[in-house]
Amino acid sequence: MQKTTNKRGAFIAFEGIDGSGKSTQITLLKQRLQREGIKCYTTCEPTDSPIGSLIHQIMTGRVLSDNKVIAALFVADRLDHLLNPTNGIYAKIMDGTSVISDRYYFSSYAYHSVDMPMDWVIDANSQSAEILRPSVTIFVDVNPDNALKRIAKTRFHPELFETRERLVSVREKYFEAFEKLKDVENVLIVDGEKEEHILEAEIWEKIKAYFAH
Ligand code: TYD
């Protein structure tokens, strides 16, 4: 693929278990970039494309499907997120816009490898990794019990007990994926238990160099 300018935007992927508070950090980083005059675009996975909508329908139980199918749909959703001719993030980054994504392929590595081999999930996502690796993946780490408390405060959640086990194993899978890919991926693990503005300042100090032109 052709670069349209030599000033590439940065690509920041936020990761974390549900209830980690990453959305707050994304909002704060976006505000910081706006104050600094850095052009940025925030987005998320699953996307709101037709593929993303199908994923949402499966995840909310309106459409029934196997976990392997969901994992494959996330692969397709991610490629569309990158390459869609209307709002694909690859073209934005090549044009000099920095992109912040709420979740990217490490979510697949962590969430789907609970049910299937992680290597399968990594291989299935290899095209996305070839097209666009994050400048940095920021993992907002929280204790699953505290994540559950946050989820309970903000959302209706009928199966809290089952969810705890899932959060614990997804968090472990994230760490397994970071270890497995430590030679090729740039991962920043931050303490999501910190006060949100203190954490925002700490993240900014560590990533601001990626936005230097
Ligand atoms: P959503 O409520 O949209 O976002 P969040 O929890 O980040 O606020 O739910 C996204 C869910 O999708 C979340 O539980 C993680 C899951 N997920 C996967 O299972 N695989 C993936 O590849 C991605 C990107 C997300």
Side-chain angles (χ1 to χ4, degrees):
M1 261 171 240
Q2 291 292 310
K3 269 188 169 189
T4 50
T5 158
N6 51 16
K7 279 187 188 166
R8 250 180 98 130
F11 178 39
I12 313 293
F14 272 85
E15 294 286 354
I17 59 173
D18 303 80
S20 63
K22 65 184 161 44
S23 315
T24 306
Q25 287 306 317
I26 290 170
T27 305
L28 294 173
L29 177 57
K30 185 179 183 175
Q31 289 166 358
R32 169 81 72 163
L33 293 176
Q34 282 166 343
R35 286 200 301 278
E36 300 281 332
I38 295 162
K39 205 159 65 159
C40 91
Y41 174 80
T42 48
T43 180
C44 66
E45 293 185 4
T47 69
D48 57 6
S49 74
I51 305 166
S53 308
L54 179 54
I55 292 173
H56 278 298
Q57 286 181 304
I58 295 171
M59 290 180 83
T60 50
R62 277 174 287 157
V63 172
L64 296 182
S65 192
D66 186 86
N67 283 339
K68 290 186 181 60
V69 177
I70 302 178
L73 284 173
F74 269 109
V75 171
D77 189 42
R78 183 159 298 124
L79 285 167
D80 187 63
H81 194 199
L82 288 167
L83 302 174
N84 188 293
T86 313
N87 57 0
I89 60 177
Y90 180 80
K92 287 183 193 299
I93 286 170
M94 290 304 150
D95 263 350
T97 301
S98 287
V99 173
I100 308 170
S101 184
D102 187 340
R103 301 192 179 281
Y104 192 51
Y105 47 57
F106 270 107
S107 283
S108 281
Y109 305 164
Y111 282 84
H112 306 304
S113 68
V114 173
D115 307 302
M116 63 197 87
M118 189 181 289
D119 286 336
W120 182 90
V121 188
I122 293 175
D123 287 349
N125 279 281
S126 62
Q127 287 200 74
S128 295
E130 274 166 34
I131 296 165
L132 191 63
R133 273 188 209 282
S135 316
V136 59
T137 296
I138 302 175
F139 180 71
V140 181
D141 191 24
V142 287
N143 174 310
D145 290 312
N146 293 337
L148 268 186
K149 281 184 208 147
R150 281 191 208 178
I151 293 169
K153 259 193 223 159
T154 54
R155 310 178 210 172
F156 172 68
H157 236 265
E159 295 155 281
L160 284 186
F161 181 70
E162 269 177 51
T163 313
R164 186 188 182 279
E165 269 176 30
R166 177 139 181 101
L167 291 185
V168 169
S169 47
V170 169
R171 180 174 176 273
E172 282 169 9
K173 291 292 179 186
Y174 266 117
F175 282 101
E176 194 183 318
F178 296 149
E179 178 60 27
K180 206 184 243 297
L181 296 167
K182 64 177 186 231
D183 294 336
V184 284
E185 297 286 347
N186 181 23
V187 178
L188 173 65
I189 298 170
V190 298
D191 181 358
E193 311 283 349
K194 286 189 178 164
E195 193 281 323
E196 58 194 40
H197 288 95
I198 293 178
L199 183 57
E200 187 276 334
E202 197 177 297
I203 291 175
W204 178 243
E205 272 315 301
K206 293 194 172 137
I207 68 169
K208 63 184 179 189
Y210 298 113
F211 301 95
H213 287 299

